[in-house]
Amino acid sequence: MNYHFQAHRAVRQNLLEVLQNTSKRDLLLIPDGFNNNIYWNIAHTVATQQLLHYYLSGNPFRIDKYWIETYKKGTLPVLDVPQSEMEDLAFLLTETSKILMKDFDADFFTDYTSYTTSFGLDLKNIQDAIIFNNMHETQHLGYAMAQKRAILGEQF
C-alpha cells in the first residue's frame, strides 16, 4: 500500500498548490459550463475521503462533520467562504493524508461495509477504498485545473 499512500500525498500536494496559488475570487467563482467551483472540488475530496475510509469502516471522522455536511456528494458550492476556512482546508489536505496512513498502519480499519461507487466499482475493504479514493481525488484535481483554465484562459 506504500505506493498508494505516496500517490495520495502527491494528489493532495497538487490540490494544496491549486488552493494556495489561486485567488480567493477565482477559487469561489463558478465558471461557465460548471456547476461548482475550484474550492468545492478541493473540499469535496477531504469530505469524501472521510466517508469512504472512516464512515464505511464504522470509525469516527477525523475532521469536523461540518466538512462532510457542506462538501459531500450532492452539495452545492458555498460562494462566501471565510479565509480562516480556506486555511483550515489547507491544513486538512495534508493532515488527513498523514492520519490515514497512521490509522492504516495501526489496523484501525478492521471492519468495512461494502459499497458500490457511482463509477460502478465495488469497494470491499479499506485497500479498495484507498485505491478508489486516489482515483476520485485525481478526478477532482482535474476538474479544479479545468475550472482554473476556464477562468484564467491559457495563461494557466
Side-chain angles (χ1 to χ4, degrees):
M1 290 299 296
N2 240 4
Y3 175 81
H4 299 291
F5 287 120
Q6 289 175 345
H8 189 245
R9 284 192 306 275
V11 173
R12 288 291 181 91
Q13 182 59 40
N14 281 280
L15 288 165
L16 180 62
E17 288 173 13
V18 171
L19 179 65
Q20 293 178 330
N21 296 317
T22 306
S23 72
K24 182 176 179 179
R25 176 198 164 278
D26 291 346
L27 285 169
L28 299 177
L29 181 68
I30 300 174
D32 290 340
F34 292 91
N35 62 0
N36 55 41
N37 55 32
I38 296 168
Y39 186 82
W40 183 91
N41 275 288
I42 297 170
H44 172 72
T45 64
V46 172
T48 301
Q49 182 260 334
Q50 294 289 301
L51 289 164
L52 290 174
H53 298 153
Y54 293 89
Y55 176 75
L56 291 173
S57 65
N59 288 305
F61 297 129
R62 297 300 201 193
I63 62 175
D64 190 280
K65 284 186 182 179
Y66 164 82
W67 293 96
I68 310 298
E69 294 164 2
T70 308
Y71 297 106
K72 68 184 176 185
K73 183 178 179 178
T75 60
L76 297 173
V78 178
L79 300 178
D80 185 25
V81 176
Q83 187 63 36
S84 60
E85 181 181 312
M86 292 185 172
E87 292 164 7
D88 289 345
L89 179 56
F91 175 80
L92 290 175
L93 282 168
T94 303
E95 291 305 307
T96 55
S97 188
K98 291 177 189 175
I99 292 167
L100 171 64
M101 196 164 72
K102 288 178 185 173
D103 286 344
F104 182 84
D105 288 344
D107 291 325
F108 193 67
F109 304 103
T110 54
D111 295 322
Y112 196 84
T113 302
S114 293
Y115 175 74
T116 302
T117 70
S118 57
F119 279 68
L121 293 173
D122 293 326
L123 307 181
K124 295 182 173 128
N125 54 49
I126 190 62
Q127 291 87 349
D128 291 350
I130 290 168
I131 293 166
F132 175 78
N133 185 67
N134 284 350
M135 183 174 71
H136 176 260
E137 291 195 11
T138 302
Q139 177 187 24
H140 284 279
L141 172 62
Y143 288 150
M145 292 170 67
Q147 289 172 324
K148 189 167 183 175
R149 179 156 298 176
I151 293 166
L152 300 178
E154 292 303 315
Q155 59 185 322
F156 171 60

